[in-house]
Amino acid sequence: SEGPGRGSEFIIRLPIVVGQELALVTTPAMRTVPTRAHILVVEDNPDSRDMLRALLEAAGHQVRIANDGPGAVEAVRLHGPDLALIDIGLPGFDGYEVARRIRRELGPAVRLVAVTGYGRSEDRLRTAAAGFDSHLVKPVSPEQIDHEIASLGIRPARR
């Protein structure tokens, strides 16, 4: 609030029940929504990778990194992230091949998001054909990342 006398006051009154057991009733609004995702960041540029990792970890997510195509596929096999943010221009093999291999082996178990400098309509068609669920053009905003995390049913933490 802006100081004393300028905030909100909330009063909650609960009945006292003696000698009865209360049944727990939950509503959709009361159910716990996870706030932490397991995310794989696949990026060969150290500055971009470190910035994205710091952003995600600051929001409370568990983050693993891979620097190249083969490392990305291995990380998905070993750790089964909820979400993989994958650059297209990678050493070893490119992000398109990463997506194809993950889809061949695991199907839709992991949400794959292309995070790339390539933003033409042909590039978007190519990422979709390779098996990506979404396509983000660099530089990517925190709100775009939050949207991808929210698509998993995970509520992004407030910044």
Side-chain angles (χ1 to χ4, degrees):
S1 76
E2 295 176 1
R6 299 183 140 227
S8 299
E9 179 179 333
F10 298 91
I11 298 172
I12 300 173
R13 293 192 173 103
L14 301 172
I16 297 176
V17 179
V18 180
Q20 289 181 310
E21 286 189 31
L22 295 176
L24 180 61
V25 177
T26 61
T27 65
M30 295 170 64
R31 292 191 186 105
T32 302
V33 176
T35 59
R36 181 178 177 175
H38 299 275
I39 300 172
L40 174 65
V41 173
V42 185
E43 173 64 66
D44 61 323
N45 179 294
D47 293 332
S48 295
R49 183 180 58 239
D50 294 344
M51 185 274 310
L52 193 50
R53 180 182 202 167
L55 174 77
L56 293 165
E57 287 178 344
H61 302 294
Q62 179 184 1
V63 181
R64 295 190 184 273
I65 60 170
N67 305 318
D68 59 23
V73 174
E74 187 64 17
V76 169
R77 281 186 196 128
L78 292 175
H79 305 293
D82 302 310
L83 173 69
L85 302 171
I86 305 169
D87 185 28
I88 296 298
L90 296 170
F93 47 80
D94 64 22
Y96 301 116
E97 184 61 22
V98 170
R100 283 191 288 270
R101 290 182 186 208
I102 290 169
R103 290 295 182 236
R104 237 184 345 259
E105 293 181 33
L106 301 172
V110 178
R111 182 166 180 79
L112 302 179
V113 178
V115 180
T116 178
Y118 307 135
R120 299 173 306 164
S121 58
E122 306 88 64
D123 301 319
R124 293 174 185 279
L125 291 172
R126 237 180 126 192
T127 56
F132 282 96
D133 297 297
S134 189
H135 183 115
L136 300 178
V137 178
K138 294 177 184 178
V140 178
S141 73
E143 293 78 21
Q144 289 174 298
I145 299 295
D146 284 348
H147 176 78
E148 294 300 329
I149 293 167
S151 73
L152 299 167
I154 297 172
R155 186 188 68 222
R158 286 193 171 148
R159 296 188 203 291

